[in-house]
Amino acid sequence: MNNPDRKPEWLVDDLGPKGAPFIKLTDFAPPPEESHGSLFLPDRLEKGYHVEEIRDGVYWVSVGWYDCMFVVTGRGVIVLDAPPAIGERLLSAIEDVTDEPVTHLIYSHWHADHIGAATIFGPGVKIVAHERTRDLLARFPDEYRPLPTETFATDATLDVNGVKVELSYKGQNHTEGNIFTYLPKQKVLAAIDIASPAWVTFRDCDSSENLAAWEQAHHQILEYDFDTVVSGHVSRIGNREDVEEGIEYLDDLVRFSREALETIPMEYFHAGMDGPYRAAFRAVEENYFAALVNYVTKKTLDRKTSNGLRWEERLNGADVLTKHNAFSILEKTRLERTHNGYLLRDGTPSSDKFFI
Ligand SMILES: [Zn+2]
């Protein structure tokens, strides 16, 4: 499979500064064990998936990188999400614990990586989603993501055979239409692509659209009375402490991003731009952002966090993902938050904390 003597034609690893760098496995520190989650569990390794009862008929299904949830009501099953990476193994997981039919499918949000196997349940299932999810799926049709049959605007409660599921939309965060799905009796909350228990968030803050709102959504999770949160990823279910830990990491990125923007002058990188280098003006932008990203990455990774450990000792992926998340937070800070003023007519800033 992975023969080092024969490099596949598709493997481009010689682009230098034009491309993305590769990292050797031996450069990685062993990740924290509590982040392994379902990854190395015997049933996941043997069957390809892990299914586990969280509480009172609520089950978590994980294939390692993707996960979802289902609820057995006594006369039918409610499923939240159908990631294509789980695919029909989700049917096997449900059959492992019940022979009740799937009657409801909830879409957390419109992203294909979470609902792209929706057709495995056949045409009879009710599909519930936010109205913006419906709009997006109507605008960008996909035969594997059928349109919802029922939508809502702000809040909705499903009562299926006496099992209550509260759905809530608090505005755009990771995407438009991304909802919170809460089972009050079982104290289980599904908030997909927001928090990442025991991990740092996937690169570029999980490609989230609005980072101010995505960050806010972490705090909205804490407003719920929950014991368990299903996040859609990272092979692990989480609890309140996991979400708080993720917020502390994010707070570091946000704080150091603002500090970097207020500290590092873009003009520094203009030096040496005369003569033949004039054409390379894009280098200023590249090096300015490299300086910003490295500043935030170093400050974040060097800090002793609230329990005395550094992030690399607490959260899986902190070592290599922090730089990607730092870039997103920096850039979205520039797009979504105040610049502390503006340039005056003579080109000087209106405040000493102003940034470009
Ligand atoms: Zn998503």
Side-chain angles (χ1 to χ4, degrees):
M1 282 252 303
N2 191 359
N3 182 350
D5 299 331
R6 240 205 267 145
K7 191 172 105 173
E9 270 180 48
W10 48 259
L11 184 60
V12 182
D13 60 358
D14 54 0
L15 283 185
K18 290 182 197 167
F22 286 82
I23 303 174
K24 292 196 297 288
L25 275 183
T26 46
D27 288 341
F28 284 83
E33 203 151 309
E34 54 277 21
S35 70
H36 290 173
S38 67
L39 274 177
F40 305 112
L41 293 177
D43 65 334
R44 201 206 67 77
L45 290 171
E46 281 159 28
K47 296 187 297 186
Y49 64 91
H50 169 71
V51 57
E52 174 181 329
E53 185 167 21
I54 299 173
R55 187 179 289 162
D56 293 346
V58 181
Y59 290 84
W60 172 63
V61 182
S62 173
V63 293
W65 296 114
Y66 278 91
D67 58 54
C68 66
M69 182 175 90
F70 68 88
V71 189
V72 179
T73 70
R75 274 184 292 140
V77 175
I78 310 166
V79 178
L80 173 89
D81 286 353
I86 302 182
E88 289 189 347
R89 294 181 292 182
L90 180 51
L91 298 176
S92 305
I94 295 168
E95 286 162 13
D96 283 350
V97 299
T98 182
D99 52 12
E100 293 174 27
V102 173
T103 55
H104 294 71
L105 172 62
I106 301 167
Y107 287 167
S108 64
H109 64 303
W110 80 293
H111 278 170
D113 65 326
H114 287 275
I115 62 168
T119 50
I120 61 172
F121 303 112
V125 69
K126 282 184 186 166
I127 302 179
V128 186
H130 188 261
E131 59 189 25
R132 289 296 296 131
T133 298
R134 189 198 182 284
D135 294 346
L136 286 160
L137 291 172
R139 190 170 158 194
F140 304 103
D142 174 6
E143 62 177 303
Y144 294 100
R145 284 177 285 171
L147 292 181
T149 55
E150 295 168 36
T151 61
F152 66 97
T154 49
D155 297 291
T157 300
L158 293 182
D159 186 339
V160 182
N161 308 316
V163 175
K164 283 200 169 45
V165 186
E166 295 177 5
L167 310 177
S168 178
Y169 183 56
K170 303 177 194 304
Q172 180 193 22
N173 49 49
H174 166 68
T175 57
E176 283 195 277
N178 192 26
I179 59 171
F180 294 80
T181 301
Y182 179 55
L183 289 116
K185 183 169 157 266
Q186 294 88 346
K187 295 193 178 184
V188 175
L189 176 70
I192 305 300
D193 288 347
I194 309 289
S196 304
W199 281 73
V200 301
T201 180
F202 186 54
R203 64 161 68 189
D204 298 330
C205 297
D206 216 354
S207 301
S208 294
E209 291 167 3
N210 182 327
L211 287 198
W214 178 77
E215 187 195 332
Q216 188 181 56
H218 288 71
H219 294 275
Q220 289 166 334
I221 290 175
L222 295 181
E223 289 167 15
Y224 283 89
D225 179 17
F226 74 97
D227 292 328
T228 307
V229 64
V230 173
S231 70
H233 286 286
V234 301
S235 72
R236 191 173 167 288
I237 45 179
N239 57 30
R240 185 166 286 272
E241 288 69 38
D242 290 316
V243 178
E244 286 168 345
E245 188 175 43
I247 289 174
E248 186 185 337
Y249 172 76
L250 261 186
D251 284 350
D252 278 355
L253 289 177
V254 170
R255 184 172 75 256
F256 293 133
S257 290
R258 186 155 278 281
E259 193 177 293
L261 287 161
E262 291 170 0
T263 303
I264 300 175
M266 191 191 265
E267 296 74 37
Y268 178 85
F269 300 96
H270 289 180
M273 280 278 293
D274 298 332
Y277 296 104
R278 226 176 159 73
F281 63 93
R282 301 291 303 187
V284 174
E285 191 180 81
E286 284 293 299
N287 291 336
Y288 175 59
F289 272 96
L292 291 169
V293 165
N294 288 349
Y295 181 100
V296 178
T297 302
K298 182 169 169 50
K299 287 262 180 175
T300 302
L301 295 182
D302 279 355
R303 190 177 83 87
K304 278 209 165 152
T305 67
S306 58
N307 68 0
L309 297 175
R310 291 177 303 107
W311 286 122
E312 287 171 84
E313 299 166 296
R314 289 182 74 175
L315 296 176
N316 203 336
D319 48 357
V320 290
L321 291 170
T322 295
K323 61 181 181 294
H324 298 293
N325 296 327
F327 174 78
S328 292
I329 300 265
L330 280 157
E331 184 57 359
K332 291 295 177 89
T333 298
R334 291 181 65 258
L335 303 183
E336 296 169 358
R337 306 298 180 105
T338 180
H339 285 220
N340 302 322
Y342 43 82
L343 291 178
L344 302 171
R345 285 175 190 265
D346 66 0
T348 59
S350 67
S351 90
D352 59 2
K353 292 213 176 256
F354 171 78
F355 54 81
I356 292 291

